């Protein structure tokens, strides 16, 4: 029987919040390997590694958006290589970049990263959800819910447990900018809405993540 595919957009901010979070990687591996009936597609973001390099580049002079994007893409690939090696022989033999490239479908875990300028790894997750017929993407980052505004700047920002795509896209806008820090990027959001895809935005709590995977009640926001 064909395995159900679970697509995860894994924020670089929880792979490397400041230093590499080895405890998180151990727990992430434990949860994934504990669920044998699913195929997992894990697309890794750049997080702080990406932003530090982009910020340094900006201080050297005028840097094009495309060059900033390429810095971010390389950061996602470094994070993805780390995650892939955690799973050893259970993972596809290399990090995938192009969402249409040949993939060893006999491997239960596929790890991917950024491909080309113009969007974040969220778009890769959406494209691979389409390729593998997944109805949902799980977006894991250091943001546990979607809020009506940035809660770090607005103490009155409201936490939302569900939101429609039109309402969410009003929050995030339509333009991609390298290093943009949003729960789900604008380009990926447009594609996900067109596909009728559901996205679950959750934080990095592993018990909460496991509850979501097992179809139990969880903390987070559903965008649909």
């Amino acid at each position: 029987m064909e395995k159900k595919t679970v697509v995860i957009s894994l924020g670089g901010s929880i792979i490397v919040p400041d230093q590499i979070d080895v405890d998180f990687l151990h727990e992430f591996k434990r949860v994934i390997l504990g669920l044998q009936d699913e195929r997992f597609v894990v697309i890794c973001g750049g997080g702080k590694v990406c932003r530090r390099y982009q910020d340094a580049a900006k201080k050297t002079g005028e840097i094009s958006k495309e060059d900033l994007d390429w810095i971010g893409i390389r950061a996602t690939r470094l994070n993805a290589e780390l995650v892939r090696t955690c799973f050893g022989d259970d993972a596809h033999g290399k990090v995938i970049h192009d969402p249409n490239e040949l993939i060893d479908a006999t491997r239960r875990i596929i790890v991917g990263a950024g491909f080309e300028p113009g969007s974040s790894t969220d778009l890769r997750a959406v494209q691979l959800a389409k390729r593998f017929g997944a109805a949902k993407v799980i977006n894991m980052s250091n943001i546990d819910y979607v809020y009506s505004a940035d809660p770090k700047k607005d103490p009155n920002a409201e936490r939302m447990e569900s939101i429609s795509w039109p309402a969410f896209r009003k929050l995030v806008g339509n333009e991609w900018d390298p290093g943009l820090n949003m729960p789900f990027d604008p380009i990926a959001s447009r594609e996900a809405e067109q596909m009728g895809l559901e996205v679950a935005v959750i934080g990095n709590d592993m018990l909460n993540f496991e509850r979501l995977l097992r179809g139990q009640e969880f903390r987070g926001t559903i965008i649909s």
Side-chain angles (χ1 to χ4, degrees):
M1 188 174 71
E2 179 71 15
K3 289 183 182 293
K4 171 187 165 188
T5 300
V6 178
V7 179
I8 301 166
S9 183
L10 181 61
S13 58
I14 55 178
I15 300 169
V16 190
D18 192 44
Q19 301 297 317
I20 296 167
D21 192 339
V22 177
D23 290 341
F24 167 78
L25 292 172
H26 273 303
E27 281 299 289
F28 186 71
K29 178 180 177 181
R30 176 190 67 78
V31 171
I32 297 297
L33 293 183
L35 292 160
Q36 292 294 317
D37 295 331
E38 288 87 5
R39 173 193 288 120
F40 287 90
V41 178
V42 182
I43 310 300
C44 300
K48 276 193 177 179
V49 176
C50 158
R51 290 183 186 89
R52 282 173 178 159
Y53 275 84
Q54 288 174 335
D55 287 345
K58 288 174 187 175
K59 290 174 183 175
T60 67
E62 286 293 319
I63 307 293
S64 72
K65 280 191 175 185
E66 183 170 336
D67 282 338
L68 288 172
D69 256 340
W70 277 117
I71 290 171
I73 288 165
R74 303 294 192 234
T76 72
R77 293 179 182 180
L78 179 61
N79 286 341
E81 289 291 356
L82 173 62
V83 171
R84 185 190 64 80
T85 57
C86 290
F87 289 102
D89 290 340
D90 286 307
H92 176 60
K94 64 172 187 170
V95 169
I96 63 167
H97 305 150
D98 182 343
N100 297 309
E101 72 183 78
L102 189 65
I103 294 172
D104 181 359
T106 64
R107 300 297 178 98
R108 203 170 62 80
I109 298 158
I110 297 160
V111 180
F115 176 40
E116 56 190 5
S119 65
S120 79
T121 47
D122 291 334
L123 182 60
R124 301 288 87 75
V126 168
Q127 291 167 331
L128 285 160
K130 183 176 183 179
R131 177 171 174 178
F132 285 101
K136 177 189 288 184
V137 169
I138 298 172
N139 187 75
M140 294 185 72
S141 71
N142 57 0
I143 300 167
D144 53 355
Y145 286 89
V146 172
Y147 290 81
S148 59
D150 186 343
K152 293 176 183 175
K153 298 176 181 176
D154 184 353
N156 298 313
E158 294 181 18
R159 186 174 76 185
M160 292 176 275
E161 294 185 356
S162 64
I163 185 172
S164 70
W165 279 118
F168 181 77
R169 291 187 60 206
K170 279 187 179 178
L171 284 178
V172 300
N174 295 304
E175 297 294 324
W176 166 248
D177 191 49
L180 188 68
N181 194 11
M182 288 283 184
F184 209 68
D185 100 52
I187 310 304
S189 297
R190 183 185 64 207
E191 295 294 317
E193 181 181 25
Q194 289 174 356
M195 286 170 54
L197 193 68
E198 183 176 284
V199 172
V201 175
I202 64 171
N204 62 351
D205 182 296
M206 281 293 103
L207 291 176
N208 191 48
F209 174 52
E210 198 166 1
R211 284 196 294 269
L212 170 57
L213 291 175
R214 295 185 183 278
Q216 299 167 358
E217 191 172 333
F218 69 97
R219 298 187 313 280
T221 302
I222 291 288
I223 314 170
S224 62

